[in-house]
Each structure stands twice: as structure tokens, then as C-alpha cells.
Amino acid sequence: MQDTILKIENVSKFYPGVTALNKVSFEINKGEARALVGENGAGKSTLIKCIMGVERPDEGKVLMNYNGSWIENTNALEAQDHGVFANYQHVNIAPDLSIAENYYLGHQPKTKMGMVDWKKMKEDSQKIIDKFGMNVDPLAKISSLPIAMQAMVTISKISVSDDLRIVIFDEPTALLENEKVDTLYRFIQELKTQGVSIIYISHRLEEIMDICDSVTILKDGTYIDTKPIEEVTKDSLIHMMVGRELSDIYNIKRNKPGKELLRVENFSDSSHFHDINFSLHEGEIIGFAGLVGAGRSEIMRALCGVEKRLSGDVYVKGQKVDIKDPATALKYGIGFLTEDRRADGLALNLPIKTNVNMNSYDMISTGGVISLKKEAERAEKYSKDVNVKTPSIMQLAGNLSGGNQQKVVIAKLLCRNPDILIFDEPTVGVDVGAKQEIYKIMEALTAQGKGIILISSYLPEVMGLSDRLFIMAQGRITGECDLSVENDLKEEDVLKKASYEG
């Protein structure tokens, strides 16, 4: 019989107006990979914080078996001292330090003179980078890396510790390409063979079926059940998570494309993308697929004036436009949902009301004075339109679940009623129920004649939702597919074009 490494005993956690956890109890064994699943708001993130000592339960205990004694970790540093590490959903490393400095932050190797041994730190970091196949310089600053590579650095950083006992992975593959997902799988298997226990959180249920030995289901802060992985299916997990059956979530109503909304010609920048040409029509969803670093997000950021382009023309409804900043993009009816909602899309310390109206205060102001009545009315309307689950529009955005945060960002865009919407990784860290709600929002928008550009690293999503699909590799479009005609397109076909080396 395996040794129990972690006991969750009747844990409850309360926030103003919200019961995040309600008498949750279960155990995890040494060397076991346990999936933790549930919709956004089910209590997963709060439970992780309690396990890590970041939050203290209001009731109950989180107990860890440390060398035969049951202990409680009262803070994150104490948890790490006892071998508990977490890879959080949102990249959490020092952006202005190098990869090597992040790996060894707080425990740098020293020379005989007591100075930091920079040579050894670089050499040891290079070994970790090679092990995880990252092909980056250990002295590269984190902020210079794509967000997906930053995510890989946070994962590989775990291997620096020589006393791992419990590792928590929270949506680790959300921004990873297929090759890096395979690397992560191998790392998890290596940890298990060393007797390390894994807590694995993912909304991609196929990963759970591949990686985990067992699964614990939470719903609305309560414990539902724990089952061996061989006793569940994706459909049965969804039913336990959401309490209802879900049909094909990509089966949205299609529209006959209308007039041209957007045309991009010969679009290029200095290094990320070259000679890009595409168009978008009313009622249409066009998708962009490609590996990390293909240039998809950079194109859209340049299109909206977030970053500069060197050459190329942009036409909105047939009119040539010069977009130099996001405010000008909004003026021409282009709304941009960025891939990192917490860094670029939300003011986490401000309420929903302010976040929803943030891009459109000029529309409810007279003589520089904001109409507080209209501010509240618009926040209520657009939050309701996208089904933000919250007790009040005065709730801080940072207190919402990932899915509800994403819906607030969408509500913020809709406030300006744009005709062109760019959704960059719109369902990262979002549960299957919230995903379906976001897809229904997209369906409603295209039914109104709006056009959507979808970027997604998750091939079933971008292939399932797009009317036309553009495939990118090394900053160039290497394939274009009309999915209304080419309905037998396979993921392998897309990956082949996305891996093109010319």
C-alpha cells in the first residue's frame, strides 16, 4: 500500500460573499499523479493556495507527511523548504532577470571566495535548458522571451530543486506547442519514478487521461468524488464537473460571408512576420494556427498599433487606414483581446464596472465628466450579455475565476461595438463550460455581421471554429484552407505546414 503524502481534511475557505471551499477532504499518495478538475470557480486555485501555504483555511487542515511527521505549511517559503512546489497557470518569474538568475534565485552557487559563481550557474542552467529542449541562451532576459517560452522556463525551474516531494501543475500546457507538451509529459513521468506526487490541473481532459493515475472532481467549492483514471471517460468527467451533458462545443452556426471588413496586404516587420496577406468578411471567423514563434500574435499586435510594422497596407471596409496605436484601432472598429489577459487585458485591482468601461469612457462623458449612471448600466448590460458570474459589478477583477476574467475582457471590447474582433488565445485556462459560453458569444457576434480573427495554439479549437484557416511558420503564411470545403483536414496536415522549414 502506498504511503499517504498529503491529507486535505474538511478544508473551508470564505471570501466576502463567496464560499470558495466547503469542507473539502481527500488524500494523495506518494508518487501518485492526481488530476484536480472542475469548472472555473470550483475552488481549484484556492485549494492550491492552501496547499502551498499562501492562504490559510478558515476551517480544516492541510497536512503533509514530512519524514514520517504530519505538518502544516504556514507560508509558501515553508512549503518549498518541505519540497512542495507549484507551477502556476500565470507565468510567475522575474521578468528583468536572466533565465539562469531565475533558476537559482535565492540559492546561487558560490565560489570559494563566497562570491556568486556565474560560470557554474550558466553551465548548470545550460544543462537544464538542453534537457527541456528550449534552445535559448541561459543569460537571456525573461522579458525578451515569448510568453510560451517563459512558461517553459517556469516548468523547467522546478527541476533545480533536489528535494521535490509534491509538485502542482496548474494549466501547464495552455501555451505550449506539441513538442514541448511531450517534454512536459516525460518530466512528469520522471518525477513519478522518483516518488514525487503530482497534482495536475488542466481543462484539456485528454491530458488528464494520458498523464494521471486518479482524478478528484470539485464543483462550486465542494468535493464531488475521487476515481481511478481507468474508471472515467471525458464525457463522464464533464458531467460530474458541470452537472449536464455538453454537445459538440465547436458546433456553432455558420454564416455566409458578407462584405469585406478588413484587408491586409504585404504586411511585414523587421523580424517576426513577412509578406502577410489576408482578408476578413462580415459573419466570418478566420483562424491562425502555428507553432510558438510563428508570428501570429505579432501580426495582430502590429495591426492594432501595439507594435510597429515596417511595410504593408491595411484597409477597413475598403478604406486605407494608418493605425499607429490601439486607440486608433478602436476608432476604426478593431477590438483586440490579447493572449495575456492579466497583464494586458485587465486592471486586476479595479472592479468589473471600471474594467468593462475602460476603453469607452469617452462614450459616456460630457465635458470630461463621466455619467456614473451610464457607467453602471453599461457594466451591468455587457457583463450580463457575456454571462459574467459575480455577486456584483463592484467585485474586483482579480477575485474572479479565469473564465469570468476572460468574459470581462470580452465585455470591455463589446462596449465599443467593434465590427472586427481579434481573439488571441481566448480560452487559455478556461474550463469546458466557460469555453462553450465563449464560443456561443462568438457565434452571436458573427450572426450580427461582425468578423472574428481567432488565434489558438489548441488545434481542435482553431480548426473547429474557423471558416478559413491560415497556417504560419517562421513568420510566413505557409497554408490556407477553406474549412467549409476542406472538411477532412487533419491536425497532422496543419502541423506539417506549421513545421515548414524553407
Side-chain angles (χ1 to χ4, degrees), residues 184-202:
L184 171 66
Y185 284 11
R186 290 194 295 271
F187 180 45
I188 289 175
Q189 190 57 46
E190 176 186 317
L191 292 175
K192 286 177 60 180
T193 59
Q194 296 170 1
V196 178
S197 301
I198 306 295
I199 299 175
Y200 194 87
I201 299 172
S202 177

Side-chain angles (χ1 to χ4, degrees), residues 112-397:
K112 293 179 180 179
M113 301 293 293
M115 306 295 286
V116 174
D117 192 337
W118 294 102
K119 181 181 178 181
K120 177 174 174 55
M121 194 161 74
K122 180 182 177 182
E123 291 174 349
D124 290 351
S125 296
Q126 187 65 59
K127 292 176 183 177
I128 298 170
I129 288 169
D130 292 343
K131 174 181 176 180
F132 286 84
M134 291 189 286
N135 192 28
V136 288
D137 185 344
L139 300 183
K141 188 181 290 188
I142 294 296
S143 59
S144 70
L145 304 176
I147 188 71
M149 188 59 70
Q150 293 181 29
M152 201 66 205
V153 171
T154 64
I155 291 170
S156 59
K157 181 180 177 181
I158 294 169
S159 65
V160 177
S161 174
D162 56 4
D163 186 29
L164 291 171
R165 296 167 189 252
I166 300 171
V167 177
I168 302 168
F169 290 100
D170 186 5
E171 297 289 350
T173 66
L175 294 169
L176 301 184
E177 58 191 67
N178 286 13
E179 179 188 351
K180 294 296 182 288
V181 172
D182 292 340
T183 301
L184 171 66
Y185 284 11
R186 290 194 295 271
F187 180 45
I188 289 175
Q189 190 57 46
E190 176 186 317
L191 292 175
K192 286 177 60 180
T193 59
Q194 296 170 1
V196 178
S197 301
I198 306 295
I199 299 175
Y200 194 87
I201 299 172
S202 177
H203 294 306
R204 297 180 180 178
L205 299 183
E206 62 271 20
E207 294 178 3
I208 286 168
M209 308 302 288
D210 289 342
I211 292 174
C212 298
D213 305 306
S214 55
V215 54
T216 291
I217 303 100
L218 299 179
K219 180 174 173 57
D220 298 329
T222 61
Y223 171 85
I224 299 299
D225 203 354
T226 296
K227 291 196 174 276
I229 205 67
E230 60 269 15
E231 293 184 10
V232 299
T233 64
K234 286 166 61 177
D235 289 341
S236 68
L237 278 178
I238 290 171
H239 189 266
M240 286 187 281
M241 286 165 54
V242 304
R244 64 187 188 278
E245 301 291 344
L246 288 182
S247 58
D248 179 8
I249 59 177
Y250 306 121
N251 187 27
I252 62 175
K253 186 178 179 181
R254 307 291 175 172
N255 305 282
K256 184 178 179 180
K259 296 178 182 178
E260 182 183 87
L261 291 173
L262 176 72
R263 185 167 80 255
V264 175
E265 294 183 347
N266 305 316
F267 215 49
S268 300
D269 78 345
S270 58
S271 57
H272 300 103
F273 56 89
H274 316 279
D275 196 26
I276 301 299
N277 295 271
F278 67 90
S279 61
L280 174 70
H281 296 79
E282 293 176 342
E284 184 181 36
I285 300 175
I286 63 171
F288 279 78
L291 304 180
V292 172
R296 298 164 301 162
S297 296
E298 288 81 0
I299 291 171
M300 302 310 158
R301 291 173 70 84
L303 178 60
C304 293
V306 178
E307 295 175 1
K308 290 184 179 181
R309 71 176 190 272
L310 290 182
S311 62
D313 298 318
V314 178
Y315 297 83
V316 175
K317 298 181 181 179
Q319 175 189 357
K320 187 175 179 179
V321 299
D322 185 15
I323 299 173
K324 295 183 177 179
D325 53 55
T328 306
L330 285 171
K331 174 187 170 184
Y332 286 114
I334 303 175
F336 184 27
L337 185 149
T338 65
E339 65 178 321
D340 191 344
R341 59 177 171 261
R342 292 175 67 89
D344 301 327
L346 289 171
L348 296 173
N349 294 323
L350 294 178
I352 293 169
K353 179 182 71 172
T354 307
N355 274 278
V356 170
N357 284 283
M358 193 173 292
N359 285 346
S360 52
Y361 273 115
D362 60 307
M363 301 172 69
I364 56 172
S365 302
T366 304
V369 178
I370 297 169
S371 169
L372 298 182
K373 180 181 178 183
K374 290 181 180 178
E375 179 190 39
E377 288 174 349
R378 285 161 62 84
E380 291 281 6
K381 173 188 174 350
Y382 287 103
S383 295
K384 183 177 180 182
D385 285 351
V386 299
N387 194 27
V388 177
K389 296 180 177 68
T390 178
S392 165
I393 58 171
M394 296 308 298
Q395 177 73 270
L396 297 182

